[in-house]
Amino acid sequence: MEIKAQDVKNLREATGAGMMDCKKALVTSNGDFKKAEKYLKEQGLAAAQKRAHRATNEGRIFSRVSPDMGILLELSCETDFVAKNKDFIALGEKLVAIINDKKLTAPSDELEACVKDVIAVIKENLVLRRFEVLKAGQDELLVQYIHGEGRIGVIVKLKVSEPALKENEKVKQTAFDLALHVAAFAPLYLSAGNVEEEYMKEQEEIFMKQAEKTGKPENVLKGIVKGKMNKHLADICLLDQAFVKDEKKNVASVLKDLGKEVGGNIEITDYLYFKIGSE
């Protein structure tokens, strides 16, 4: 069958594999993108954890945090020039303010009307691509971080054993450091317990295919696969990742040590991560 150059390009962007390897994978998989992606992973030619396509559009991430609500919003446009436009930035700030004030959890006619009004001024297509909300209770702390000129946005939510700990400077600093960590490492999951069973099964199959190439006995292969899975989970799960400011500790142990230091229990219970153009 004919393999289109654009399909090869898309597969390369999604996996980081070479052009010829991508073409071979598509041929082997009869043009099925998902099967081709899995084939490259089995051959060790693609990063197993890479799941999103490279950003293909422009825009900016906006955030707003209040005591009971955190908002992360992606506003898309056609050019990076417009992403820096003052009217575009004012629109994003207005949208998150409306969402906060009216406690919205889904797009509304008012939000769409605001976008259309600015399209008429800027003369470029704009899209409120997505937004998500994190709710917080009295024993929870929300912290935001926007990287660069809005290319990446993060909100983390910490739960504390005593509401007063939300005002502790070490707790607030660690929360901000965790937001920096999420921006840097883009974890796919909070913990191993959050990983879908289907995804775990697929990764085990991929690692088994890789291990079989060693020619070792089956009992040894199982150990190899288990080791690869543990390492993979440590790469993609926030609590298991090596902390950005101290690689000798993972995030879970950093929070445990912080709790001992401030005399309470501190845990990260949720987070949001947006990158322009990603899923």
Side-chain angles (χ1 to χ4, degrees):
M1 67 174 294
E2 180 185 359
I3 301 299
K4 297 180 180 178
Q6 185 61 45
D7 293 334
V8 176
K9 181 176 181 291
N10 290 340
L11 185 60
R12 185 174 187 274
E13 290 177 349
T15 63
M19 295 291 283
M20 295 306 296
D21 290 325
C22 289
K23 184 174 182 179
K24 180 181 178 182
L26 285 165
V27 170
T28 302
S29 307
N30 293 317
D32 187 301
F33 192 92
K34 288 294 184 183
K35 288 182 180 179
E37 192 173 19
K38 186 177 180 182
Y39 171 84
L40 289 169
K41 291 176 181 179
E42 290 174 348
Q43 300 303 310
L45 299 172
Q49 72 270 28
K50 192 165 185 177
R51 304 173 70 195
H53 289 266
R54 191 172 64 192
T56 56
N57 62 331
E58 298 297 332
R60 186 180 286 259
I61 305 299
F62 296 87
S63 68
R64 179 159 178 158
V65 166
S66 59
D68 62 346
M69 188 177 186
I71 304 154
L72 213 53
L73 179 146
E74 179 179 359
L75 186 61
S76 298
C77 57
E78 296 177 35
T79 63
D80 60 350
F81 177 78
V82 166
K84 300 173 184 177
N85 179 284
K86 62 181 179 61
D87 293 320
F88 181 85
I89 294 172
L91 171 61
E93 292 172 346
K94 181 178 180 179
L95 293 175
V96 292
I98 292 172
I99 293 167
N100 180 76
D101 295 344
K102 300 196 173 181
K103 307 301 180 188
L104 300 179
T105 56
S108 69
D109 291 340
E110 181 180 7
L111 295 176
E112 292 301 325
C114 290
V115 174
K116 289 179 180 178
D117 287 344
V118 178
I119 289 175
V121 175
I122 293 180
K123 309 298 184 184
E124 182 171 304
N125 188 35
L126 310 178
V127 178
L128 198 180
R129 188 167 183 267
R130 54 176 171 161
F131 75 85
E132 288 189 43
V133 171
L134 279 183
K135 298 289 185 67
Q138 291 186 341
D139 59 348
E140 292 174 318
L141 171 67
L142 296 170
V143 174
Q144 62 189 328
Y145 172 68
I146 298 294
H147 180 70
E149 295 186 328
R151 301 297 299 180
I152 293 173
V154 173
I155 295 178
V156 298
K157 179 164 73 171
L158 265 61
K159 185 174 182 179
V160 296
S161 55
E162 298 292 338
L165 288 174
K166 293 194 296 182
E167 301 304 320
N168 184 288
E169 289 303 319
K170 289 185 177 179
V171 172
K172 290 194 288 185
Q173 181 60 52
T174 300
F176 182 74
D177 290 343
L178 286 170
L180 291 176
H181 175 101
V182 172
F185 292 102
L188 298 178
Y189 303 94
L190 177 63
S191 67
N194 299 112
V195 182
E196 302 94 341
E197 184 176 343
E198 181 182 357
Y199 180 76
M200 293 284 284
K201 183 179 178 181
E202 180 186 28
Q203 290 304 135
E204 287 176 350
E205 291 173 353
I206 289 168
F207 290 143
M208 180 56 76
K209 286 283 186 180
Q210 294 175 354
E212 286 173 350
K213 295 179 182 180
T214 65
K216 294 181 179 179
E218 185 176 351
N219 62 319
V220 176
L221 294 182
K222 289 181 179 179
I224 293 174
V225 171
K226 184 178 180 181
K228 282 179 173 286
M229 280 300 299
N230 289 339
K231 184 179 183 300
H232 181 62
L233 291 173
D235 287 337
I236 66 173
C237 297
L238 174 55
L239 290 175
D240 295 321
Q241 289 179 331
F243 187 46
V244 68
K245 289 198 168 184
D246 185 353
E247 294 184 356
K248 295 180 180 179
K249 296 181 179 179
N250 63 20
V251 170
S253 63
V254 167
L255 289 171
K256 185 177 180 180
D257 291 345
L258 175 64
K260 291 178 181 177
E261 186 176 353
V262 300
N265 186 50
I266 316 290
E267 57 181 316
I268 182 168
T269 56
D270 208 348
Y271 69 95
L272 295 176
Y273 170 91
F274 280 9
K275 181 179 179 180
I276 287 295
S278 66
E279 297 178 1

